[in-house]
Amino acid sequence: MALHFSHVGTGDLEMWIASSDDYSFVISNESRSGPGLHGDPGFGASYRPDFLNMPAAQVPGSPFSTFSEAERTCNAFLGRLTIKR
């Protein structure tokens, strides 16, 4: 199942969200200074399992140079996640 990200950002905050049956992913455009989220420059990606009450974790390789790179990596990462219930 491929993730399909929806843009939810407004103004200075740029974010995209997507969900699978068991995981949620967020991609955000970050910079060191200025408006919006602060962090290493690029597209930061994180995920969290929806079936556990735990904070989000960074997708390996984040931040990414482009949104497309972040989106491809999130989809590849989702394919490697295993559910242990």
Side-chain angles (χ1 to χ4, degrees):
M1 174 183 178
L3 296 167
H4 298 283
F5 284 87
S6 299
H7 184 263
V8 295
T10 59
D12 296 331
L13 183 61
E14 294 291 326
M15 295 179 73
W16 297 263
I17 59 170
S19 293
S20 71
D21 290 338
D22 295 306
Y23 294 91
S24 298
F25 287 79
V26 174
I27 298 173
S28 58
N29 192 1
E30 301 176 6
S31 66
R32 292 196 195 282
S33 61
L37 297 174
H38 293 172
D40 290 335
F43 292 88
S46 61
Y47 75 99
R48 74 175 214 72
D50 292 336
F51 54 89
L52 295 174
N53 185 18
M54 61 185 291
Q58 190 173 28
V59 171
S62 186
F64 301 95
S65 299
T66 65
F67 173 80
S68 295
E69 182 184 11
E71 184 178 35
R72 279 191 311 271
T73 304
C74 286
N75 274 296
F77 190 67
L78 176 61
R80 295 174 187 256
L81 291 173
T82 57
I83 300 170
K84 296 180 182 177
R85 296 183 196 203

